[in-house]
Amino acid sequence: MKMLNVNIKELINSDTALTPDTGSIVFSLLDKALISKEIIELDFNGIEVITSAFLNAAIGQLYSKFKSDELNEYLKVKNLAVEDRALLRKVISRAKEYFNDQKALNERFDSDFE
Amino acid sequence: MFIEIFFVPQKVVGDTFGYEFLSNLAGKSLGKFNANIIIDFQECTFFDGNLCAVLGNILQSLKDRNNTIQIINLSGKVRGAMGRNGFLTNFVSNINVPVIYHNSIPYRKFKLEDESHAKDFFKDQLFGKQDMPHMSPLAQKEIIRNIFEVCLNAVTHGGCEYVYCCGQVYLRKVPAKALITFADLGNSIKANVNNYLRKNLTGNEAIMWALADGNTTKTQDIPGGLGLKLLQNLIYLNKGKLQFVSGDGFVEIKDGNPTFFKLDIDFPGTIVTLELLLNDPNFYYLGDEDKEWTNIF
Protein backbone atom coordinates (compact mmCIF):
# COMPACT_ATOMS: atom_id res chain seq x y z
CA MET A 1 0.00 0.00 0.00
CA LYS A 2 1.20 3.51 -0.84
CA MET A 3 2.46 5.64 2.05
CA LEU A 4 2.36 9.42 1.85
CA ASN A 5 4.72 11.35 4.11
CA VAL A 6 3.55 14.88 4.90
CA ASN A 7 5.89 17.14 6.81
CA ILE A 8 3.76 20.06 7.97
CA LYS A 9 6.67 22.46 8.40
CA GLU A 10 7.73 21.90 4.78
CA LEU A 11 4.17 22.02 3.51
CA ILE A 12 3.26 25.35 5.13
CA ASN A 13 6.81 26.70 4.96
CA SER A 14 6.76 27.80 8.60
CA ASP A 15 7.53 26.48 12.07
CA THR A 16 4.38 28.18 13.34
CA ALA A 17 1.07 26.49 12.58
CA LEU A 18 -1.48 29.11 13.46
CA THR A 19 -4.22 29.97 11.04
CA PRO A 20 -7.27 28.18 9.66
CA ASP A 21 -5.99 29.04 6.16
CA THR A 22 -2.74 27.11 6.57
CA GLY A 23 -4.69 24.35 8.33
CA SER A 24 -6.92 24.10 5.28
CA ILE A 25 -3.87 23.52 3.05
CA VAL A 26 -3.11 20.43 5.15
CA PHE A 27 -6.78 19.40 5.08
CA SER A 28 -6.92 19.52 1.27
CA LEU A 29 -3.91 17.27 0.98
CA LEU A 30 -5.21 14.80 3.59
CA ASP A 31 -8.65 14.83 1.99
CA LYS A 32 -7.28 13.78 -1.42
CA ALA A 33 -5.07 11.08 0.07
CA LEU A 34 -7.88 9.67 2.23
CA ILE A 35 -10.25 9.51 -0.73
CA SER A 36 -7.68 7.44 -2.62
CA LYS A 37 -7.13 5.34 0.52
CA GLU A 38 -3.47 6.11 0.92
CA ILE A 39 -1.78 5.70 4.28
CA ILE A 40 -0.60 9.12 5.43
CA GLU A 41 2.11 9.88 7.93
CA LEU A 42 1.49 13.40 9.20
CA ASP A 43 4.80 14.63 10.58
CA PHE A 44 4.87 17.59 13.00
CA ASN A 45 8.65 17.61 13.27
CA GLY A 46 9.96 21.19 13.54
CA ILE A 47 6.62 22.80 14.40
CA GLU A 48 7.15 25.09 17.39
CA VAL A 49 3.73 26.57 18.02
CA ILE A 50 0.36 25.18 17.01
CA THR A 51 -3.12 26.54 17.69
CA SER A 52 -6.56 24.99 18.00
CA ALA A 53 -7.63 27.05 14.97
CA PHE A 54 -4.98 25.36 12.80
CA LEU A 55 -5.82 21.87 14.08
CA ASN A 56 -9.55 22.47 13.68
CA ALA A 57 -9.04 23.30 10.01
CA ALA A 58 -6.39 20.65 9.29
CA ILE A 59 -7.80 17.70 11.23
CA GLY A 60 -11.14 18.63 12.84
CA GLN A 61 -12.55 19.37 9.40
CA LEU A 62 -11.83 15.77 8.32
CA TYR A 63 -14.82 14.63 10.40
CA SER A 64 -17.11 16.40 7.95
CA LYS A 65 -16.19 13.67 5.44
CA PHE A 66 -14.60 10.73 7.19
CA LYS A 67 -15.39 8.44 10.10
CA SER A 68 -13.12 7.69 13.07
CA ASP A 69 -12.27 4.16 11.94
CA GLU A 70 -11.20 5.40 8.47
CA LEU A 71 -8.97 8.04 10.05
CA ASN A 72 -7.48 5.53 12.50
CA GLU A 73 -6.72 3.19 9.63
CA TYR A 74 -5.18 5.64 7.19
CA LEU A 75 -3.87 8.62 9.16
CA LYS A 76 -0.82 8.35 11.42
CA VAL A 77 0.41 11.30 13.49
CA LYS A 78 4.15 11.53 14.04
CA ASN A 79 6.43 13.78 16.10
CA LEU A 80 3.63 15.79 17.69
CA ALA A 81 5.06 17.18 20.93
CA VAL A 82 3.63 15.58 24.06
CA GLU A 83 2.21 18.91 25.21
CA ASP A 84 0.39 19.36 21.88
CA ARG A 85 -1.26 15.96 22.00
CA ALA A 86 -3.76 17.11 24.64
CA LEU A 87 -4.77 19.90 22.29
CA LEU A 88 -5.22 17.52 19.36
CA ARG A 89 -7.37 15.24 21.51
CA LYS A 90 -9.59 18.20 22.43
CA VAL A 91 -9.86 19.22 18.77
CA ILE A 92 -10.85 15.68 17.77
CA SER A 93 -13.41 15.40 20.53
CA ARG A 94 -14.86 18.83 19.66
CA ALA A 95 -15.02 17.96 15.94
CA LYS A 96 -16.95 14.76 16.66
CA GLU A 97 -19.48 16.68 18.76
CA TYR A 98 -19.70 19.48 16.20
CA PHE A 99 -20.44 17.23 13.24
CA ASN A 100 -22.82 15.02 15.25
CA ASP A 101 -24.76 18.13 16.28
CA GLN A 102 -24.76 19.39 12.70
CA LYS A 103 -25.95 16.00 11.40
CA ALA A 104 -28.75 15.89 13.97
CA LEU A 105 -29.75 19.44 13.06
CA ASN A 106 -29.81 18.61 9.32
CA GLU A 107 -31.88 15.47 9.95
CA ARG A 108 -34.36 17.47 12.03
CA PHE A 109 -34.49 20.13 9.33
CA ASP A 110 -35.10 17.48 6.60
CA SER A 111 -37.86 15.74 8.58
CA ASP A 112 -39.56 19.09 9.30
CA PHE A 113 -39.77 19.80 5.58
CA GLU A 114 -40.71 16.35 4.30
CA MET B 1 -10.31 71.80 8.47
CA PHE B 2 -12.67 70.52 11.14
CA ILE B 3 -10.99 70.33 14.56
CA GLU B 4 -12.11 68.11 17.44
CA ILE B 5 -10.45 67.92 20.84
CA PHE B 6 -10.65 64.88 23.11
CA PHE B 7 -9.55 65.35 26.72
CA VAL B 8 -7.91 62.38 28.37
CA PRO B 9 -9.00 61.91 32.00
CA GLN B 10 -6.58 62.03 34.92
CA LYS B 11 -6.14 58.29 35.14
CA VAL B 12 -6.70 55.74 32.39
CA VAL B 13 -6.41 52.16 33.61
CA GLY B 14 -8.20 48.89 32.88
CA ASP B 15 -11.39 49.71 34.76
CA THR B 16 -14.90 50.82 33.79
CA PHE B 17 -13.90 54.47 33.71
CA GLY B 18 -10.81 53.85 31.56
CA TYR B 19 -12.65 51.62 29.10
CA GLU B 20 -15.54 54.09 28.84
CA PHE B 21 -13.10 56.84 27.90
CA LEU B 22 -11.63 54.62 25.17
CA SER B 23 -15.13 53.54 24.04
CA ASN B 24 -16.21 57.15 23.75
CA LEU B 25 -13.11 58.06 21.76
CA ALA B 26 -13.49 55.03 19.49
CA GLY B 27 -17.22 55.61 18.93
CA LYS B 28 -16.92 59.32 18.21
CA SER B 29 -13.95 58.86 15.91
CA LEU B 30 -15.65 56.27 13.69
CA GLY B 31 -17.34 58.82 11.47
CA LYS B 32 -14.42 61.25 11.24
CA PHE B 33 -12.77 61.96 7.90
CA ASN B 34 -10.26 64.68 6.93
CA ALA B 35 -10.41 66.28 10.38
CA ASN B 36 -7.77 67.48 12.80
CA ILE B 37 -8.06 65.38 15.96
CA ILE B 38 -6.38 66.67 19.09
CA ILE B 39 -5.79 64.34 22.02
CA ASP B 40 -5.17 66.55 25.03
CA PHE B 41 -3.37 64.91 27.98
CA GLN B 42 -3.35 68.05 30.15
CA GLU B 43 -5.31 66.40 32.99
CA CYS B 44 -3.76 62.95 32.57
CA THR B 45 -1.18 61.85 35.12
CA PHE B 46 -1.38 58.10 34.54
CA PHE B 47 -2.08 55.98 31.45
CA ASP B 48 -1.70 52.18 31.61
CA GLY B 49 1.02 51.32 29.07
CA ASN B 50 -0.81 48.23 27.83
CA LEU B 51 -3.85 50.35 26.90
CA CYS B 52 -1.72 52.03 24.24
CA ALA B 53 -2.87 49.05 22.13
CA VAL B 54 -6.43 50.41 22.21
CA LEU B 55 -5.51 54.08 21.85
CA GLY B 56 -3.16 53.20 19.00
CA ASN B 57 -5.84 51.19 17.19
CA ILE B 58 -8.24 54.13 17.42
CA LEU B 59 -5.68 56.74 16.33
CA GLN B 60 -4.37 54.58 13.49
CA SER B 61 -7.89 54.09 12.15
CA LEU B 62 -8.33 57.88 12.27
CA LYS B 63 -5.09 58.33 10.35
CA ASP B 64 -6.24 55.75 7.81
CA ARG B 65 -9.29 57.96 7.17
CA ASN B 66 -7.10 60.98 6.39
CA ASN B 67 -7.46 62.63 9.76
CA THR B 68 -4.44 64.31 11.30
CA ILE B 69 -3.57 63.50 14.90
CA GLN B 70 -2.04 65.86 17.43
CA ILE B 71 -1.11 64.60 20.89
CA ILE B 72 -0.58 67.54 23.22
CA ASN B 73 0.24 68.42 26.84
CA LEU B 74 1.83 65.12 27.79
CA SER B 75 3.22 65.17 31.31
CA GLY B 76 6.73 63.80 31.92
CA LYS B 77 5.58 60.50 33.40
CA VAL B 78 2.95 59.70 30.76
CA ARG B 79 5.24 60.91 27.99
CA GLY B 80 7.99 58.65 29.34
CA ALA B 81 5.75 55.55 29.53
CA MET B 82 4.22 56.09 26.08
CA GLY B 83 7.61 56.90 24.62
CA ARG B 84 9.46 53.93 26.04
CA ASN B 85 7.01 51.41 24.58
CA GLY B 86 7.38 52.94 21.14
CA PHE B 87 3.79 54.21 20.96
CA LEU B 88 4.47 57.93 20.56
CA THR B 89 6.79 57.62 17.58
CA ASN B 90 3.79 56.38 15.57
CA PHE B 91 1.76 59.52 16.15
CA VAL B 92 4.10 62.35 17.15
CA SER B 93 6.87 63.54 14.88
CA ASN B 94 10.22 64.67 16.29
CA ILE B 95 9.52 63.12 19.66
CA ASN B 96 12.57 62.97 21.86
CA VAL B 97 11.92 60.10 24.24
CA PRO B 98 14.21 57.07 24.48
CA VAL B 99 12.55 53.87 23.32
CA ILE B 100 13.49 51.29 25.96
CA TYR B 101 11.64 48.03 26.02
CA HIS B 102 12.96 46.73 29.34
CA ASN B 103 9.65 47.19 31.17
CA SER B 104 7.29 47.10 28.26
CA ILE B 105 6.08 44.96 25.42
CA PRO B 106 6.34 47.37 22.52
CA TYR B 107 3.31 48.75 20.73
CA ARG B 108 2.78 46.71 17.55
CA LYS B 109 0.11 45.82 15.06
CA PHE B 110 0.10 42.34 13.60
CA LYS B 111 -1.38 40.68 10.57
CA LEU B 112 -1.95 36.93 10.48
CA GLU B 113 0.74 36.66 7.81
CA ASP B 114 3.29 37.92 10.37
CA GLU B 115 3.00 34.69 12.36
CA SER B 116 6.64 33.66 12.55
CA HIS B 117 7.79 37.19 13.28
CA ALA B 118 5.05 37.58 15.91
CA LYS B 119 6.10 34.36 17.62
CA ASP B 120 9.72 35.54 17.93
CA PHE B 121 8.54 38.97 19.07
CA PHE B 122 6.45 37.64 21.96
CA LYS B 123 9.12 35.13 22.93
CA ASP B 124 11.75 37.86 23.15
CA GLN B 125 9.51 40.37 24.86
CA LEU B 126 7.98 38.04 27.42
CA PHE B 127 10.75 35.60 28.17
CA GLY B 128 13.97 36.99 26.75
CA LYS B 129 14.39 40.11 28.84
CA GLN B 130 17.10 40.53 31.40
CA ASP B 131 15.90 39.89 34.98
CA MET B 132 12.82 38.08 33.75
CA PRO B 133 11.81 35.35 36.20
CA HIS B 134 12.33 31.84 34.93
CA MET B 135 9.37 30.20 33.29
CA SER B 136 9.45 26.60 32.10
CA PRO B 137 9.65 26.03 28.32
CA LEU B 138 6.24 24.36 28.44
CA ALA B 139 4.67 27.32 30.20
CA GLN B 140 6.28 29.67 27.68
CA LYS B 141 4.94 27.62 24.79
CA GLU B 142 1.44 27.56 26.28
CA ILE B 143 1.47 31.34 26.72
CA ILE B 144 2.62 31.96 23.13
CA ARG B 145 -0.03 29.55 21.85
CA ASN B 146 -2.75 31.38 23.75
CA ILE B 147 -1.60 34.80 22.60
CA PHE B 148 -2.14 33.55 19.07
CA GLU B 149 -5.53 32.11 19.98
CA VAL B 150 -6.54 35.65 21.07
CA CYS B 151 -5.16 37.23 17.88
CA LEU B 152 -6.83 34.65 15.67
CA ASN B 153 -10.11 35.18 17.41
CA ALA B 154 -9.92 38.91 16.71
CA VAL B 155 -9.11 38.43 13.04
CA THR B 156 -11.52 35.54 12.41
CA HIS B 157 -14.52 36.87 14.32
CA GLY B 158 -13.78 40.59 14.37
CA GLY B 159 -13.19 40.53 10.63
CA CYS B 160 -10.31 43.00 10.88
CA GLU B 161 -6.96 42.98 9.16
CA TYR B 162 -4.76 43.92 12.12
CA VAL B 163 -4.66 43.20 15.84
CA TYR B 164 -3.00 45.85 18.00
CA CYS B 165 -0.92 44.87 20.97
CA CYS B 166 0.99 46.56 23.77
CA GLY B 167 2.11 45.49 27.21
CA GLN B 168 3.69 46.46 30.45
CA VAL B 169 6.03 44.29 32.50
CA TYR B 170 6.17 44.75 36.27
CA LEU B 171 9.39 43.05 37.31
CA ARG B 172 9.58 44.70 40.75
CA LYS B 173 6.07 43.71 41.79
CA VAL B 174 5.69 40.60 43.90
CA PRO B 175 4.83 38.44 42.11
CA ALA B 176 6.31 39.82 38.90
CA LYS B 177 3.67 40.10 36.20
CA ALA B 178 2.98 41.24 32.66
CA LEU B 179 -0.13 42.96 31.37
CA ILE B 180 -0.75 42.56 27.64
CA THR B 181 -3.66 44.11 25.81
CA PHE B 182 -4.95 43.14 22.36
CA ALA B 183 -7.41 45.41 20.59
CA ASP B 184 -9.40 45.31 17.40
CA LEU B 185 -12.07 47.58 16.00
CA GLY B 186 -13.85 44.78 14.17
CA ASN B 187 -17.27 43.29 14.85
CA SER B 188 -17.96 43.17 18.58
CA ILE B 189 -18.57 39.86 20.34
CA LYS B 190 -22.03 41.15 21.20
CA ALA B 191 -22.89 41.77 17.53
CA ASN B 192 -21.43 38.45 16.37
CA VAL B 193 -23.16 36.34 19.00
CA ASN B 194 -26.51 38.09 18.62
CA ASN B 195 -26.37 37.74 14.83
CA TYR B 196 -25.57 34.06 15.17
CA LEU B 197 -28.13 33.23 17.87
CA ARG B 198 -30.73 35.73 16.59
CA LYS B 199 -31.12 36.98 20.12
CA ASN B 200 -30.63 40.23 21.94
CA LEU B 201 -28.08 39.34 24.60
CA THR B 202 -26.30 42.03 26.59
CA GLY B 203 -22.58 42.50 26.01
CA ASN B 204 -21.74 40.52 29.16
CA GLU B 205 -24.12 37.67 28.24
CA ALA B 206 -22.62 37.53 24.76
CA ILE B 207 -19.05 37.47 26.12
CA MET B 208 -19.94 34.63 28.52
CA TRP B 209 -21.58 32.68 25.68
CA ALA B 210 -18.43 33.08 23.56
CA LEU B 211 -16.25 31.93 26.46
CA ALA B 212 -18.17 28.69 27.03
CA ASP B 213 -16.47 25.52 25.82
CA GLY B 214 -17.54 24.58 22.29
CA ASN B 215 -19.51 27.73 21.50
CA THR B 216 -18.59 29.37 18.23
CA THR B 217 -20.28 31.68 15.76
CA LYS B 218 -18.53 29.98 12.83
CA THR B 219 -20.91 28.34 10.41
CA GLN B 220 -18.55 26.60 7.99
CA ASP B 221 -17.28 23.04 7.91
CA ILE B 222 -14.47 23.91 10.30
CA PRO B 223 -15.26 23.29 13.98
CA GLY B 224 -14.29 25.90 16.56
CA GLY B 225 -15.00 27.13 20.04
CA LEU B 226 -11.85 25.98 21.78
CA GLY B 227 -9.47 28.95 21.72
CA LEU B 228 -11.03 31.13 24.38
CA LYS B 229 -11.60 28.15 26.67
CA LEU B 230 -7.91 27.27 26.40
CA LEU B 231 -7.04 30.84 27.26
CA GLN B 232 -9.22 30.72 30.37
CA ASN B 233 -7.56 27.46 31.45
CA LEU B 234 -4.13 28.97 31.03
CA ILE B 235 -4.96 32.07 33.06
CA TYR B 236 -6.59 29.94 35.76
CA LEU B 237 -3.49 27.74 36.08
CA ASN B 238 -1.19 30.75 35.96
CA LYS B 239 -3.31 32.47 38.67
CA GLY B 240 -3.47 35.53 36.44
CA LYS B 241 -6.40 37.63 35.32
CA LEU B 242 -8.34 38.07 32.10
CA GLN B 243 -10.47 40.99 30.89
CA PHE B 244 -12.83 41.08 27.93
CA VAL B 245 -14.41 44.31 26.75
CA SER B 246 -16.79 44.33 23.80
CA GLY B 247 -19.94 46.34 23.07
CA ASP B 248 -21.34 47.32 26.46
CA GLY B 249 -19.83 44.23 28.09
CA PHE B 250 -16.85 44.12 30.43
CA VAL B 251 -16.03 40.81 32.08
CA GLU B 252 -13.07 40.19 34.35
CA ILE B 253 -12.10 36.61 35.20
CA LYS B 254 -9.89 35.66 38.13
CA ASP B 255 -9.57 32.23 39.78
CA GLY B 256 -12.14 30.98 37.28
CA ASN B 257 -14.80 33.42 38.56
CA PRO B 258 -16.21 36.14 36.32
CA THR B 259 -17.03 39.63 37.59
CA PHE B 260 -19.37 41.69 35.45
CA PHE B 261 -19.29 45.41 34.78
CA LYS B 262 -21.44 47.34 32.36
CA LEU B 263 -20.12 50.07 30.12
CA ASP B 264 -22.40 53.04 29.50
CA ILE B 265 -20.71 53.54 26.12
CA ASP B 266 -20.29 50.61 23.69
CA PHE B 267 -16.78 49.73 22.60
CA PRO B 268 -16.98 49.14 18.82
CA GLY B 269 -14.69 46.12 18.76
CA THR B 270 -12.99 43.92 21.31
CA ILE B 271 -10.30 44.44 23.94
CA VAL B 272 -8.65 41.48 25.62
CA THR B 273 -6.21 42.04 28.47
CA LEU B 274 -4.13 39.21 29.91
CA GLU B 275 -2.46 39.55 33.28
CA LEU B 276 0.20 36.85 33.48
CA LEU B 277 2.28 35.99 36.50
CA LEU B 278 5.87 35.62 35.38
CA ASN B 279 7.42 33.56 38.16
CA ASP B 280 5.21 30.53 37.93
CA PRO B 281 7.47 28.00 36.21
CA ASN B 282 5.57 24.77 36.71
CA PHE B 283 1.94 25.44 36.22
CA TYR B 284 1.45 23.55 33.01
CA TYR B 285 0.20 20.04 33.57
CA LEU B 286 0.87 17.41 30.95
CA GLY B 287 -1.47 14.78 32.36
CA ASP B 288 -1.04 11.31 30.89
CA GLU B 289 -0.45 12.39 27.31
CA ASP B 290 2.80 10.45 26.99
CA LYS B 291 0.99 7.14 27.39
CA GLU B 292 -1.25 5.66 24.72
CA TRP B 293 -0.97 7.40 21.31
CA THR B 294 -2.63 5.09 18.81
CA ASN B 295 -6.17 5.06 17.47
CA ILE B 296 -6.50 8.68 18.49
CA PHE B 297 -9.28 9.41 16.04
Side-chain angles (χ1 to χ4, degrees):
Chain A
M1 194 176 278
K2 258 176 84 179
M3 162 89 93
L4 178 68
N5 220 303
V6 180
N7 180 287
I8 292 187
K9 186 181 174 185
E10 285 169 15
L11 181 66
I12 66 173
N13 198 24
S14 174
D15 61 4
T16 318
L18 299 185
T19 68
D21 287 352
T22 48
S24 287
I25 295 171
V26 179
F27 167 79
S28 298
L29 200 143
L30 297 180
D31 182 32
K32 275 185 200 156
L34 285 164
I35 287 170
S36 54
K37 299 204 179 300
E38 281 181 78
I39 298 221
I40 311 139
E41 200 171 61
L42 193 58
D43 190 348
F44 286 82
N45 191 29
I47 293 291
E48 280 191 39
V49 184
I50 194 160
T51 65
S52 67
F54 173 88
L55 288 174
N56 276 327
I59 293 177
Q61 201 177 174
L62 292 171
Y63 287 88
S64 66
K65 302 182 78 172
F66 304 99
K67 293 196 174 77
S68 286
D69 47 3
E70 290 172 276
L71 297 174
N72 278 323
E73 188 175 350
Y74 293 105
L75 184 56
K76 312 292 168 198
V77 172
K78 189 180 161 190
N79 292 322
L80 182 62
V82 172
E83 63 273 15
D84 293 327
R85 292 181 189 178
L87 180 62
L88 178 56
R89 282 191 197 276
K90 279 184 188 153
V91 164
I92 289 170
S93 153
R94 171 69 194 130
K96 286 178 183 173
E97 277 173 33
Y98 181 80
F99 289 110
N100 273 340
D101 288 352
Q102 221 175 43
K103 199 176 150 203
L105 196 73
N106 288 342
E107 280 169 5
R108 211 175 69 198
F109 187 81
D110 289 345
S111 68
D112 284 351
F113 286 89
E114 267 172 10
Chain B
M1 186 184 261
F2 180 79
I3 296 174
E4 181 145 1
I5 305 177
F6 291 94
F7 295 95
V8 182
Q10 191 184 5
K11 192 175 164 189
V12 179
V13 296
D15 60 9
T16 308
F17 192 64
Y19 287 132
E20 279 178 350
F21 159 69
L22 292 163
S23 299
N24 181 49
L25 180 62
K28 285 193 173 153
S29 65
L30 280 177
K32 298 275 182 290
F33 293 86
N34 306 312
N36 185 10
I37 308 293
I38 298 172
I39 311 292
D40 190 337
F41 278 80
Q42 185 159 22
E43 297 295 319
C44 183
T45 55
F46 189 87
F47 194 103
D48 256 349
N50 51 297
L51 294 181
C52 285
V54 191
L55 184 60
N57 193 170
I58 298 166
L59 297 186
Q60 187 58 52
S61 71
L62 279 163
K63 272 175 82 172
D64 293 345
R65 293 192 299 274
N66 290 326
N67 297 286
T68 58
I69 309 290
Q70 274 182 275
I71 294 179
I72 61 170
N73 294 324
L74 279 164
S75 71
K77 196 178 162 189
V78 177
R79 181 188 168 91
M82 288 184 157
R84 282 192 296 274
N85 66 22
F87 169 81
L88 282 181
T89 51
N90 290 275
F91 302 103
V92 182
S93 51
N94 301 321
I95 186 88
N96 188 21
V97 178
V99 177
I100 306 165
Y101 296 144
H102 185 64
N103 285 321
S104 62
I105 295 159
Y107 169 77
R108 286 279 189 283
K109 59 175 188 173
F110 289 107
K111 263 183 160 177
L112 280 188
E113 292 78 18
D114 302 336
E115 54 191 44
S116 221
H117 165 70
K119 179 200 68 188
D120 294 337
F121 170 80
F122 285 115
K123 259 183 155 176
D124 290 348
Q125 295 301 328
L126 274 171
F127 314 118
K129 287 189 163 80
Q130 207 182 355
D131 303 328
M132 211 62 136
H134 172 73
M135 198 177 262
S136 71
L138 286 181
Q140 292 184 17
K141 185 173 170 178
E142 241 355 67
I143 286 169
I144 297 288
R145 187 208 310 280
N146 278 281
I147 281 176
F148 282 119
E149 299 279 3
V150 174
C151 295
L152 279 165
N153 218 64
V155 175
T156 312
H157 298 289
C160 46
E161 194 180 1
Y162 288 100
V163 182
Y164 290 72
C165 161
C166 196
Q168 194 71 33
V169 180
Y170 298 93
L171 288 171
R172 285 191 201 146
K173 285 207 175 177
V174 181
K177 64 180 183 181
L179 280 173
I180 318 170
T181 292
F182 298 88
D184 73 78
L185 292 178
N187 304 322
S188 70
I189 295 175
K190 182 181 175 181
N192 270 340
V193 171
N194 281 326
N195 280 344
Y196 176 77
L197 296 177
R198 298 184 190 285
K199 284 189 174 177
N200 194 19
L201 302 182
T202 65
N204 283 335
E205 287 168 341
I207 290 170
M208 290 313 288
W209 185 89
L211 291 177
D213 199 3
N215 281 352
T216 179
T217 55
K218 278 197 270 182
T219 52
Q220 307 151 328
D221 254 355
I222 302 177
L226 272 175
L228 294 181
K229 188 66 190 171
L230 294 169
L231 175 67
Q232 289 176 85
N233 291 345
L234 168 86
I235 297 294
Y236 178 76
L237 292 168
N238 176 261
K239 301 187 193 314
K241 200 165 80 178
L242 197 51
Q243 286 184 337
F244 286 89
V245 173
S246 196
D248 62 350
F250 171 17
V251 180
E252 188 170 282
I253 302 173
K254 191 167 170 53
D255 297 326
N257 299 313
T259 307
F260 302 101
F261 307 89
K262 188 184 176 304
L263 299 184
D264 284 338
I265 307 163
D266 277 27
F267 183 77
T270 301
I271 304 168
V272 181
T273 297
L274 281 61
E275 182 182 305
L276 291 161
L277 301 194
L278 292 171
N279 53 358
D280 188 7
N282 295 310
F283 69 81
Y284 187 58
Y285 175 63
L286 285 177
D288 55 3
E289 282 304 328
D290 52 344
K291 290 180 185 166
E292 189 65 24
W293 189 242
T294 51
N295 287 332
I296 55 169
F297 298 105

